[in-house]
Amino acid sequence: MSVARTHSVALNGTQGVVVEVEVNVTRGASRTQILGLRDAVLSECRDRARAATFNSQHRWPDGNVIVGLSPAWVRKEGSAFDLAVAVAALAAEGTLSQLALQDTFFLAELCLDGRLRPVRGVLPAALAASHVGLGRAVVAEPNALEAAQISGLEVHGLRSLAQVVAFLQGTEIPDAEPLPHDTSPRTGPTRPVRPLPDLADVLGQYEARQALEVAAAGGHHLLLAGAPGAGKTLLAERLPSILPPLDQEAALEVSALHSIAGTLSRDQPLITDPPYQSVHHTCTVAGMVGGGSGRVVPGAISRAHRGVLFADEIAEMQRAVLEALREPLEAGEIVIARACGTVVFPARFLLVAAMNPCPCGRAGTAGGQCTCTPDARRRYTQKLSGPFLDRMDLRLAIHPVGRAELFGAAPGESSASVRDRVLEARARAAHRFAGRPWTTNAQIPGSALRTDFAPPPRQPHRPRSPPPVRHPHRPRLRPSPARRLDPGRPHRPPPPRPRGGRHRSRLPPRPPRPTGDLTPPWSPHEHPHHPAPEPERPARGASAEPRSPPHLEHPALLLAPHRPPRRQHQLSAGARRRHRCGLAAGPRHRRSPRPAAGPPLRRPTPPPHRGHHPAAHGAASRDRLAASPGFAERGGPGRASCHGRLSDRFAGPGLLA
C-alpha cells in the first residue's frame, strides 16, 4: 500500500482554493474511485488519466485506486485536475519520486493520447497558489504566458504527459507535437488587441465631450438620449481612451476575470487598459450579471470591471435585466446564489446607457415628425424605473451635428490631453481619500458625505442695525457722474422732497378723522380737486338755495372722486348678439321654433332700444315700453325678445288666425 500527494487549484468565482490530490493504491479489484465534491466532468477524469498514462508508455497502478480531493467540502469543477491525478497515480506506482512533487501544482486537461490542453482560470489559480507558498507551476504550453504574470512563480509550459514525467525525473524532455489549433476554452470572443479610438474623431458635441470627462474623472454613470445617428455609440467607444490605465493589482484582477470567462487573449494575457464591453438589447439576466447551468461564469458587468459597460437601446431591454443592474451599480459586486453555493464576482464598472427619445426615434429632432402614440412613448420610457434612474448620475440629451459644424468645425481635443486632466483629478481624489477605501467621488457613501465631507456650517446670524427707512417711490441717492470721477468734489445733496410719494406729495395733508361734529371744515367747492360746479337753475316752485351733491354729505367722502352710478343690468356682447339674431332670452338661449309652412317671413321691426332686453331694465323700462306707440297693437306683454312678442316675429298671412 502506497500513498502519493500533489496539488491543484479549484476556483470559486475569482477566489482560488488549493486542493490536495491524494492517490491510494490497495490490493483488490482493479478500479478507480474519486472522492470529494465533484461534478460530472471531474468524474470522467479517471478514464482520461488512465488512457493518457497507457499511451505515454507508462503503467497505471494495479488494484483498487482511490483518488481523494481535499478539502472535500469545496466543490471541484472542470477538467483542470486531470494532470494532477495522473501525476499522483504515477508517484503511487513508483514511477515518480514524492520529493519531485513538492511545492508544485498542476493545471491541465489530458487528451487520450497524452497531450496537454489549456484550461480556463489559470491566472487566478496561479495567484492563489502563490499566496499559499507553492512556487512552481506545470501547465499546458498555451497557458504558460498567462501563469507567468505572477511574479515569483516558476512556470513550466509543456505539451504532453511524457514531457511532464521527463521533467520531474530530471531526464531529457522528448519532443511532442503541438496542438493542431487553438483549443483554449472560450465562452465568447477574445478581447482584441488594438489601439483605442481617439476622442478627436468626435466633431462638435461639446457638452457630450465635457460629460465624458466628468464621468471619467469621478466614475459617474452616464445616460445619453438622442436620435439615431447623433453619435451616442461613437462617444461611448472613446470613453476608455480617457480613463487612467490599470495598475498592477487592478490589471491582475481584470485579467483573472477574463481568464475565468475564457475571453483572455493569448498574445496579451495581462490587461492594462480599461476594458470595454458592449451588450445587445436582447441580453438575458444570466448574460448580464453572470451564471450558468453548470459552472458559474462572470457576466458582462464583471467583464467590464474597472472599465466601461455600454448598453445601447437600453429602453428595449427586458425589465428584469435592468432591475438586476441596481445592486451591482450600488455595491460594486454581484452575488450569484446557487443550490451548490454562492459565487461573488467584482463588478465596479462605469455604465454608459443610450436610448432614443421615442420608439421611432424622431421626437425632438429638427425636421422630424414623431409617429408614436402617447401610450407607446409612456411604455417606452417606463422601462427605466425610478431606482435605476437614481443611479444614473449624469443625463444628457444628444442632438445631431449640423452640416456646417460637421464639415467646417476644427478637430477637438485628443484623448491624451483629456486623459491628463482626468489623471490630475484622480490624483486629487486619491489625496483626498487617503486612508479610506474610496478612489473616486462616485464611491463615497451618503453617510461619509454628511459627516466627513459636509459643507462648513453657516455663520450665526448677527443682528444688524435696521437700514434707514426709504420711501418705495423715492429713488436711491447716488453720486453724480462728476462726483464719481472726482471724489474730492463736495457732494451737494438734492433738495428734500415732500414725504408721501410722487402722487400724494401734491396734495395737502389729510385732515384728522372727525370725532364729534360731522360738518365739513371747508366748503366742498373750495377743494382743488372738486371745482365749484355751475349753479343749477331751480325748478319752478322750488327754492333757490343750493344743495351739496349727495356723495359729499359726509366729511370722510370729501376726497373721493365723483363717479357715476354703475348700471346694474348690462348685457354682454354675446347676449346682445343673440338678441339681434333672434334668439330667445331664456337661460338656454334656444332659437324660436320655425313655422311648419307658409310664405317667406318678414323681417321684424327693430325695437326702440336696440341691443337691450326690455326685461333687464326693471319697472322703469317696462313703463317706457308700455308708453311707446304700437305696444297695445302688438298684443301687450308676453314671451318677448328684444323684437317684441314671439308671435309678432312670425306675423304673416294665416299664422295668427
Side-chain angles (χ1 to χ4, degrees):
M1 181 179 66
S2 60
V3 179
R5 297 180 182 88
T6 187
H7 298 88
S8 187
V9 181
L11 292 177
N12 182 21
T14 57
Q15 304 297 325
V17 180
V18 177
V19 176
E20 186 179 25
V21 181
E22 298 177 320
V23 175
N24 183 29
V25 180
T26 59
R27 294 180 180 180
S30 179
R31 65 176 185 176
T32 303
Q33 298 179 1
I34 299 179
L35 307 180
L37 190 60
R38 66 191 188 277
D39 62 347
V41 177
L42 186 54
S43 300
E44 300 170 353
C45 171
R46 57 176 180 264
D47 300 328
R48 290 192 299 269
R50 178 183 295 180
T53 303
F54 287 149
N55 293 328
S56 300
Q57 308 302 324
H58 295 288
R59 182 181 177 184
W60 184 260
D62 294 334
N64 187 12
V65 179
I66 300 176
V67 180
L69 306 176
S70 59
W73 57 270
V74 176
R75 184 172 181 82
K76 297 88 179 176
E77 298 175 342
S79 58
F81 297 89
D82 291 358
L83 182 59
V85 171
V87 170
L90 291 176
E93 178 62 21
T95 305
L96 299 175
S97 173
Q98 184 65 39
L99 296 177
L101 306 181
Q102 292 182 356
D103 298 336
T104 306
F105 68 96
F106 302 87
L107 285 173
E109 179 185 342
L110 286 174
C111 297
L112 297 182
D113 57 355
R115 292 176 300 171
L116 301 184
R117 302 173 69 92
V119 294
R120 294 184 300 179
V122 172
L123 183 59
L127 185 62
S130 64
H131 287 168
V132 298
L134 299 179
R136 188 169 61 174
V138 178
V139 297
E141 186 179 22
N143 293 135
L145 187 59
E146 180 180 347
Q149 304 300 322
I150 308 301
S151 60
L153 184 64
E154 181 183 352
V155 180
H156 298 275
L158 303 174
R159 296 179 179 178
S160 63
L161 180 59
Q163 289 185 345
V164 174
V165 174
F167 167 74
L168 294 176
Q169 291 177 349
T171 60
E172 184 180 358
I173 299 177
D175 294 335
E177 295 181 359
L179 295 175
H181 51 81
D182 185 12
T183 57
S184 301
R186 305 193 183 280
T187 58
T190 60
R191 185 176 181 269
V193 182
R194 58 182 177 85
L196 296 175
D198 202 319
L199 193 61
D201 301 336
V202 181
L203 298 179
Q205 302 292 359
Y206 304 105
E207 293 183 356
R209 292 168 61 95
Q210 186 178 5
L212 289 182
E213 185 175 350
V214 172
H220 302 287
H221 305 294
L222 180 61
L223 175 62
L224 303 176
K232 302 184 293 294
T233 305
L234 186 71
L235 291 166
E237 290 178 349
R238 280 145 183 81
L239 181 57
S241 63
I242 63 176
L243 291 175
L246 303 178
D247 55 4
Q248 183 67 19
E249 181 181 358
L252 289 176
E253 187 179 15
V254 172
S255 301
L257 285 169
H258 284 265
S259 177
I260 296 172
T263 59
L264 190 64
S265 175
R266 290 180 53 185
D267 301 331
Q268 188 180 359
L270 186 64
I271 301 176
T272 57
D273 296 329
Y276 173 80
Q277 292 290 324
S278 178
V279 294
H280 197 258
H281 64 270
T282 58
C283 181
T284 61
V285 177
M288 180 67 74
V289 302
S293 57
R295 185 175 184 176
V296 179
V297 296
I301 61 175
S302 298
R303 297 195 300 270
H305 179 58
R306 297 185 181 272
V308 178
L309 175 65
F310 179 53
D312 197 5
E313 301 293 345
I314 193 171
E316 299 290 348
M317 289 186 175
Q318 302 178 12
R319 183 68 178 269
V321 177
L322 299 180
E323 296 302 319
L325 293 175
R326 290 164 52 181
E327 289 80 7
L329 289 175
E330 188 73 21
E333 63 181 12
I334 180 65
V335 181
I336 302 175
R338 294 290 184 268
C340 58
T342 303
V343 179
V344 180
F345 289 119
R348 180 72 65 181
F349 58 94
L350 198 158
L351 176 62
V352 179
M355 60 178 296
N356 295 332
C358 63
C360 72
R362 292 191 294 268
T365 59
Q369 185 176 3
C370 179
T371 59
C372 305
T373 61
D375 291 341
R377 290 188 183 183
R378 179 179 53 83
R379 290 191 301 267
Y380 184 77
T381 56
Q382 279 185 349
K383 289 288 189 70
L384 307 180
S385 61
F388 178 81
L389 291 177
D390 289 341
R391 289 162 173 82
M392 305 303 295
D393 303 326
L394 302 175
R395 308 176 193 176
L396 185 65
I398 303 296
H399 302 283
V401 180
R403 178 176 299 180
E405 191 175 12
L406 186 62
F407 292 99
E413 290 183 292
S414 62
S415 297
S417 59
V418 179
R419 190 193 301 114
D420 293 341
R421 294 197 296 268
V422 172
L423 290 175
E424 183 181 358
R426 290 287 184 101
R428 293 181 180 179
H431 177 72
R432 186 187 309 115
F433 304 142
R436 296 181 175 90
W438 318 306
T439 57
T440 58
N441 294 341
Q443 300 176 6
I444 307 176
S447 58
L449 284 176
R450 293 186 294 268
T451 56
D452 300 342
F453 304 97
R458 295 182 177 180
Q459 297 295 334
H461 177 68
R462 293 178 299 179
R464 299 180 179 179
S465 58
V469 180
R470 185 177 61 87
H471 197 273
H473 297 291
R474 181 176 299 173
R476 187 184 300 272
L477 299 179
R478 298 180 180 178
S480 61
R483 177 171 176 79
R484 287 197 295 266
L485 296 177
D486 186 9
R489 184 177 180 179
H491 174 64
R492 295 180 180 179
R497 299 184 59 180
R499 300 179 61 85
R502 180 177 58 183
H503 303 286
R504 298 180 58 184
S505 60
R506 303 176 183 177
L507 300 179
R510 179 174 294 184
R513 185 183 298 273
T515 56
D517 187 13
L518 297 182
T519 305
W522 59 73
S523 176
H525 307 303
E526 299 178 1
H527 198 275
H529 286 270
H530 298 279
E534 297 181 0
E536 298 181 359
R537 296 180 180 180
R540 294 181 180 180
S543 62
E545 182 181 359
R547 187 177 180 181
S548 300
H551 66 282
L552 297 178
E553 295 288 345
H554 199 278
L557 302 178
L558 290 175
L559 299 179
H562 175 66
R563 295 180 181 178
R566 184 179 179 182
R567 303 180 65 177
Q568 299 295 331
H569 302 283
Q570 293 183 356
L571 296 181
S572 62
R576 293 195 299 268
R577 190 182 306 109
R578 287 191 295 270
H579 288 305
R580 287 196 300 268
C581 296
L583 298 179
R588 297 183 180 273
H589 305 290
R590 297 178 180 176
R591 288 185 177 273
S592 303
R594 293 182 178 272
L601 302 179
R602 62 181 179 87
R603 185 179 182 87
T605 305
H609 302 279
R610 186 175 180 84
H612 299 279
H613 197 286
H617 295 281
S621 300
R622 287 195 298 269
D623 295 341
R624 289 194 299 269
L625 183 61
S628 61
F631 179 73
E633 288 78 1
R634 291 196 299 264
R639 185 185 178 188
S641 64
C642 63
H643 303 292
R645 292 188 57 181
L646 190 64
S647 58
D648 188 32
R649 297 179 54 198
F650 304 101
L655 292 179
L656 300 178

